[in-house]
Amino acid sequence: LAEVVGILDYAYSNTKIQPRLARDVVEAGDKIRIHRIQQVLYSDLLKAPDDEASDTSYVSVGADNAEDGIGTTYTATGIVTMPTGLAYAGSDGVKFIFADENGGPWSGIMSYDPDYSTFPVLFEGDEISLLGRVGEYTTGPSNMTEFWSAGVVEIISAGNDLPEGGTVTTGDLRLPSSAEQWGTVMTYIEDATVTEIPTVSYYFFGIDDGSGLVWIDDDSDSLQAWVAAEGVPPIGTLIDTIRGWPYHHYGSYSDSSSYQLVPLYGSDIIIGSGPPNISSESRSPCAPGTADDVTITAEISDNSTVASATLYYRVDGGTYTSVAMTASGTTSYSGTIPATGTEGADVDYYIEAIDDGADQSGVDTSYSPFDPAVENFRYPTNDAGYSIMDVQYTPWDPGDSPLYGCTVTLTGIVTMDTSSSSGLYAMQDAEDQWGGIVFESDSMFTIGDSVTITGTVEEYDDDWHFKWDNLTKITDLDSYTVHSSGHEVDAISVGPADLDQDADEVESYEGVQVSLSNVVVTVIQDEDESVYDWTVQDANGNTCLIDEDWADADADNYLSGLAVGDSLESVSGIFNFSFGTYKLQVRTMDDFGDMLGNNPDFVGTPFKYELHQNYPNPFNPETRIRFEIGGMEDVTLVIYDVLGRRVRVLLKDAAFNPGMHVVNWNGRNDAGEQVASGVYFYRVLAGDFIAHKKMLLVR
């Protein structure tokens, strides 16, 4: 700190300085807090309606001088709350709002740069550091403190939670003494009513919660588009919640119109409900037999009334049949699919809910899963017992097991038994694709054991989401039996191209014993394990990761002795998905073929920093996002909508080793809600590497 000013006080047995405002605490160097720029004495705010100047920043150098490049520059840090490209800033300019991460009064500020072509795209939730000058944008009686860019902005991180100001009343935004502290801070007004429709085009409409009128302004292009599509809410419309930033802009103090509220998006104005919400889908029995009627249950709710709920099902790809779902209680609905009577039949089904159209959006329909043309729920009917393929295979693109969440009994041969650190094993009942699966157990098994296990099919790990999500496995073993030992399972011969993240059938090898032939080591694990895995490459440059998590001591030591350029006759193991990528898990020395020599001059296909186009694209409901990094990095991956709002944080400072990685997005936001059709952006930050691309969700 360069300076601390305050009243000398003695309290609680100590002498201390009591600072009064943010300006009493001054950082050393050019650093400045947004609060220090914004906070103004209450006594000065009381003067503002009379002198039209007392609400200006104490560190402002004046609008004219600042725009001429004169005045002190400071560096301010904060979280972007209004992204670039959302509000008009002249034909060539760009403006945005960022706020102190702690939020609260005085925490937000608008920044402007006259040349958008040299300015980076800023998304909602970006943490930035900006070099700029403090100034005032003046429109007669109204003065809004701004932080004019000096052309130097650094994106520090992405996907951060948005700082909020809090909930205010409409009356709080009518006078400088109570409104100035909320300028450019994201605030909420609740339980208001549309009371005015303006006769001029300056504003959209006026609202009042009983404490006074505030106008809703149209600075956001997105809000203009929403009003053009939906129309201005009529007088008498109830506003449950409206979120926006107070804009000290034109207007007058005589009628308390110098502060307006600016929502960023139509979704910031909560008037009525949209489609019904379908959740907590379940079926009983979960794993049906041929004679079982299956009851499908779901929670279905709507802000008005659910007019109908319908269950659609088909058997073995035939025509869909509809069944009306009946309500039990307020939100619980159920319907029954009759027994198939057929061994090995496959049943697809989905749920449709329609509301009564009483809200402003009219009659709305929703489905679960999102789009029945792209994904259905599914189950096989079986009396003779399930194969591993019954658990693993589904024709629907997201790839979740049709028996996800069910208790099943499987029989097979143990193919991996050295998982002392992870508690994971693998077993197969066929030497073919879809024939292997991973299971968890605290018991001890040996490779070659013929076993029967009973447990729960899991796709998403509540304790290790990032590590194990998207790996089908059997957990919570209820029972197991070891029948005999000494059996052998032959590995399937594959190439690295078959195991590529984007290969059509890559998931079919999950949990299966596979073997690669004639490969060269291109990346080795560091001594300090800053690079976690080994990488091998075939003659065509296709690569595959090799991991030692399931290796015994001899295999682990052998891997540790490998060097770049070593040629291996073959390498085998169990193929699995963990830590966001597919890899081959070696077990014993039997997994390694002969060493064919070393080429000390060998140069493998180097890993680079690159963000790839998602696949599939367009997609529904799930897509894979691939990125490549050239070194060990902490990676952040965030989804934004076309307006720059943060939708989903998929990764936040997660450690990744060099190589190609894939992360799935299921079309849901951070709250677990389905997002609408449209264009979305995904951005990756890895060390100094920052990139973003577009993708299209089509429902």
Side-chain angles (χ1 to χ4, degrees):
L1 298 178
E3 180 180 84
V4 177
V5 177
I7 307 303
L8 190 65
D9 186 22
Y10 184 87
Y12 295 100
S13 303
N14 277 298
T15 302
K16 57 191 73 173
I17 293 177
Q18 299 279 11
R20 303 151 300 176
L21 297 179
R23 67 169 176 168
D24 285 340
V25 182
V26 181
E27 302 88 336
D30 67 345
K31 303 292 184 182
I32 191 167
R33 305 184 316 284
I34 295 174
H35 293 86
R36 185 175 144 215
I37 298 172
Q38 289 282 37
Q39 193 174 22
V40 182
L41 284 168
Y42 185 80
S43 56
D44 279 341
L45 294 175
L46 292 175
K47 305 172 189 174
D50 296 323
D51 66 18
E52 300 181 352
S54 290
D55 59 343
T56 59
S57 171
Y58 299 142
V59 294
S60 172
V61 298
D64 294 336
N65 289 339
E67 289 180 342
D68 291 338
I70 302 171
T72 304
T73 57
Y74 300 93
T75 298
T77 300
I79 309 296
V80 174
T81 55
M82 184 180 79
T84 54
L86 191 62
Y88 181 70
S91 58
D92 298 318
V94 61
K95 70 181 182 183
F96 60 96
I97 295 174
F98 66 117
D100 187 280
E101 63 178 350
N102 298 295
W106 310 108
S107 63
I109 197 164
M110 179 176 284
S111 184
Y112 170 81
D113 192 287
D115 186 3
Y116 73 88
S117 65
T118 62
F119 210 79
V121 175
L122 297 180
F123 289 111
E124 189 179 77
D126 283 350
E127 180 187 12
I128 65 167
S129 176
L130 177 68
L131 181 69
R133 297 179 176 88
V134 180
E136 298 287 335
Y137 183 78
T138 301
T139 57
S142 304
N143 305 293
M144 192 174 78
T145 304
E146 296 188 5
F147 195 62
W148 285 310
S149 167
V152 180
V153 60
E154 176 188 359
I155 300 174
I156 301 172
S157 64
N160 297 284
D161 291 337
L162 298 185
E164 302 281 4
T167 301
V168 301
T169 68
T170 54
D172 288 333
L173 303 184
R174 290 175 58 81
L175 294 171
S177 55
S178 55
E180 182 76 9
Q181 61 188 320
W182 303 113
T184 61
V185 175
M186 296 300 166
T187 57
Y188 293 84
I189 293 174
E190 298 176 344
D191 299 325
T193 302
V194 176
T195 58
E196 298 283 346
I197 303 298
T199 57
V200 294
S201 59
Y202 305 142
Y203 316 119
F204 280 151
F205 54 91
I207 63 172
D208 191 343
D209 63 2
S211 59
L213 173 72
V214 164
W215 291 106
I216 305 305
D217 202 352
D218 61 348
D219 187 68
S220 167
D221 294 341
S222 172
L223 191 62
Q224 294 173 15
W226 178 81
V227 170
E230 302 293 334
V232 175
I235 291 176
T237 300
L238 298 177
I239 305 294
D240 291 338
T241 305
I242 186 166
R243 174 186 181 268
W245 55 277
Y247 197 172
H248 196 195
H249 189 221
Y250 293 103
S252 69
Y253 290 118
S254 62
D255 63 359
S256 297
S257 63
S258 60
Y259 293 88
Q260 302 97 45
L261 187 71
V262 184
L264 299 183
Y265 319 99
S267 59
D268 286 335
I269 305 172
I270 306 302
I271 297 174
S273 67
N277 181 54
I278 307 174
S279 63
S280 303
E281 305 89 340
S282 64
R283 66 173 179 259
S284 180
C286 190
T290 60
D292 290 325
D293 293 338
V294 179
T295 299
I296 309 301
T297 303
E299 294 294 314
I300 305 177
S301 60
D302 191 80
N303 281 13
S304 52
T305 301
V306 176
S308 67
T310 308
L311 173 65
Y312 292 87
Y313 73 92
R314 68 180 182 182
V315 180
D316 290 333
T319 302
Y320 283 100
T321 299
S322 64
V323 174
M325 302 182 75
T326 57
S328 174
T330 305
T331 59
S332 182
Y333 288 77
S334 62
T336 299
I337 300 174
T340 65
T342 303
E343 184 75 10
D346 288 309
V347 178
D348 298 312
Y349 66 94
Y350 65 91
I351 299 169
E352 175 193 74
I354 304 175
D355 68 14
D356 62 357
D359 57 55
Q360 289 195 342
S361 60
V363 176
D364 290 307
T365 303
S366 58
Y367 299 94
S368 182
F370 314 119
D371 184 347
V374 175
E375 181 184 10
N376 278 201
F377 296 112
R378 183 179 176 88
Y379 62 84
T381 57
N382 199 316
D383 294 329
Y386 290 114
S387 68
I388 292 176
M389 184 174 181
D390 289 329
V391 176
Q392 286 279 29
Y393 174 74
T394 176
W396 302 104
D397 287 340
D400 288 347
S401 169
L403 296 170
Y404 171 38
C406 303
T407 299
V408 298
T409 298
L410 300 175
T411 297
I413 307 300
V414 174
T415 56
M416 188 279 296
D417 68 355
T418 53
S419 58
S420 58
S421 62
S422 62
L424 288 183
Y425 293 82
M427 61 185 290
Q428 283 184 233
D429 63 3
E431 295 171 346
D432 202 352
Q433 294 167 264
W434 306 108
I437 198 165
V438 172
F439 67 95
E440 287 182 316
S441 177
D442 295 330
S443 304
M444 297 301 294
F445 301 92
T446 301
I447 290 177
D449 285 349
S450 173
V451 300
T452 296
I453 64 172
T454 299
T456 303
V457 181
E458 183 61 77
E459 288 279 356
Y460 302 95
D461 193 306
D462 289 337
D463 297 323
W464 284 90
H465 280 295
F466 174 56
K467 182 176 181 180
W468 296 124
D469 275 2
N470 300 316
L471 174 70
T472 304
K473 60 182 178 178
I474 307 298
T475 65
D476 302 325
L477 260 62
D478 293 332
S479 62
Y480 69 89
T481 301
V482 178
H483 304 290
S484 57
S485 302
H487 302 275
E488 293 186 0
V489 176
D490 291 334
I492 302 175
S493 180
V494 297
D498 298 314
L499 306 181
D500 185 79
Q501 304 279 8
D502 291 336
D504 290 339
E505 295 188 325
V506 62
E507 191 170 355
S508 69
Y509 296 105
E510 186 181 272
V512 175
Q513 186 178 202
V514 299
S515 180
L516 302 170
S517 300
N518 299 314
V519 291
V520 180
V521 178
T522 61
V523 176
I524 61 174
Q525 187 184 81
D526 289 347
E527 291 183 4
D528 60 358
E529 295 193 8
S530 61
V531 175
Y532 293 133
D533 302 320
W534 290 260
T535 303
V536 295
Q537 176 181 311
D538 66 10
N540 295 318
N542 300 304
T543 61
C544 182
L545 292 177
I546 308 295
D547 196 6
E548 91 294 2
D549 282 352
W550 299 348
D552 64 16
D554 289 340
D556 196 355
N557 290 335
Y558 183 81
L559 272 174
S560 299
L562 291 176
V564 173
D566 282 344
S567 295
L568 299 175
E569 178 187 35
S570 64
V571 58
S572 304
I574 305 300
F575 191 61
N576 86 309
F577 187 91
S578 65
F579 291 102
T581 190
Y582 285 106
K583 59 191 69 174
L584 188 66
Q585 300 281 2
V586 297
R587 301 155 297 176
T588 70
M589 286 301 298
D590 292 337
D591 284 332
F592 297 100
D594 292 338
M595 175 72 71
L596 302 179
N598 177 271
N599 178 1
D601 299 323
F602 176 81
V603 178
T605 303
F607 291 121
K608 55 186 179 295
Y609 289 87
E610 185 174 358
L611 179 62
H612 295 266
Q613 190 63 51
N614 64 300
Y615 178 83
N617 187 45
F619 69 97
N620 184 335
E622 186 171 89
T623 189
R624 292 181 174 184
I625 298 172
R626 285 194 311 135
F627 61 90
E628 185 177 353
I629 53 176
M632 186 69 183
E633 301 285 5
D634 290 337
V635 177
T636 294
L637 178 60
V638 186
I639 308 295
Y640 304 90
D641 66 15
V642 72
L643 302 173
R645 293 176 292 185
R646 188 187 76 180
V647 173
R648 179 77 177 271
V649 178
L650 294 175
L651 300 172
K652 181 65 174 176
D653 295 330
F656 278 82
N657 55 282
M660 187 73 70
H661 302 277
V662 62
V663 177
N664 289 358
W665 182 42
N666 62 359
R668 291 180 179 265
N669 61 20
D670 282 328
E673 301 163 335
Q674 304 170 8
V675 300
S677 298
V679 174
Y680 292 86
F681 292 93
Y682 55 102
R683 168 185 268 175
V684 68
L685 286 78
D688 295 330
F689 173 68
I690 301 176
H692 68 270
K693 288 184 178 293
K694 289 182 182 179
M695 56 184 167
L696 178 62
L697 172 60
V698 180
R699 297 216 185 277

